[in-house]
Amino acid sequence: NNTNQDCSNTHDLESPGFCGLLGLEDVEARSSLLVIKHLLPPYVGNTRIRVVDDGILPPTTTAIVLVCSNGIFSATWLLETLLAARELGAAILPVTIQTNFRFPTSNLESELQGLDFRDDVAITDVANLLREVFKGIAININAQEHMRVLAASVDQLKTRLAEQDAMPNGKRGTSWRIMAKESTKSNKSRAGVVENSPI
């Protein structure tokens, strides 16, 4: 489809940075993902923003916006895409779209056991990555919110992406969470910030 072509075209592969919007394919997750894409500019700094549909990431990937809805921890293709992003040194920024989103628990390895991963994927690697991603602060973006609240949440996401874009290679990944905590202490209630449950 057109989105897949957008994700893999020559312009994206040659751009200084690539940010993938990643989520499940159900109606709720898809609509939220498209709302986020609509409200974000095509570029943040030198980073191109596109939807990832096929699980294929260009080598210039610097960030993944993970649209979190219940069921993401059982989608092997999505989890394998996250592992690929981390291997590229990309930051993974979680965005929750459900008030009842279930964060990873201490039983995460057991929950991942029955999934059909590729032979080269270790469940412990997947579990450790998910715990790392959800240690920090997630932004909550509800597509049904008033446009002013929705725009404020997306602006906060844009700020985090801009911080990532300004970082040199090798410095991305986990350090965005430190800056996010400092920049969101005063406006958590209005900008959709969610303190993740301890794991």
Side-chain angles (χ1 to χ4, degrees):
N1 60 29
N2 290 336
T3 307
N4 285 344
Q5 293 172 359
D6 285 344
C7 281
S8 58
N9 66 25
T10 302
H11 179 81
D12 286 334
L13 291 172
E14 293 179 352
S15 64
F18 174 86
C19 172
L21 305 180
L22 182 66
L24 294 179
E25 297 174 343
D26 61 274
V27 173
E28 182 180 14
R30 193 68 181 178
S31 61
S32 297
L33 187 150
L34 293 176
V35 166
I36 294 169
K37 181 180 183 294
H38 176 73
L39 293 175
L40 284 172
Y43 282 88
V44 173
N46 290 321
T47 299
R48 180 70 164 168
I49 298 174
R50 289 288 187 183
V51 175
V52 177
D53 276 333
D54 51 13
I56 298 174
L57 302 175
T60 52
T61 301
T62 56
I64 291 291
V65 174
L66 178 61
V67 178
C68 301
S69 56
N70 290 321
I72 63 169
F73 302 138
S74 59
T76 53
W77 71 270
L78 186 147
L79 298 175
E80 289 173 352
T81 302
L82 291 180
L83 283 176
R86 183 44 50 89
E87 288 175 2
L88 291 170
I92 301 173
L93 285 63
V95 170
T96 59
I97 62 171
Q98 297 168 328
T99 56
N100 66 339
F101 175 70
R102 182 171 167 268
F103 290 97
T105 68
S106 57
N107 297 322
L108 187 55
E109 281 89 351
S110 298
E111 296 173 11
L112 297 172
Q113 282 293 338
L115 300 183
D116 187 21
F117 289 108
R118 298 191 317 265
D119 291 341
D120 62 333
V121 172
I123 288 177
T124 52
D125 290 342
V126 178
N128 289 337
L129 174 57
L130 291 174
R131 290 193 177 101
E132 180 185 335
V133 168
F134 289 100
K135 274 181 182 177
I137 298 172
I139 299 173
N140 180 259
I141 297 180
N142 184 343
Q144 306 303 317
E145 281 280 11
H146 187 279
M147 181 56 68
R148 184 174 61 183
V149 177
L150 184 58
S153 298
V154 173
D155 280 347
Q156 191 176 66
L157 175 60
K158 184 167 64 175
T159 297
R160 295 194 192 180
L161 290 174
E163 290 168 344
Q164 284 300 308
D165 179 73
M167 287 185 182
N169 291 339
K171 296 296 185 181
R172 300 183 177 100
T174 59
S175 54
W176 68 272
R177 284 191 290 273
I178 299 172
M179 293 183 294
K181 288 180 180 179
E182 293 175 349
S183 64
T184 56
K185 287 178 181 177
S186 61
N187 61 353
K188 290 179 183 177
S189 61
R190 294 297 295 171
V193 176
V194 176
E195 287 282 3
N196 301 342
S197 302
I199 298 171

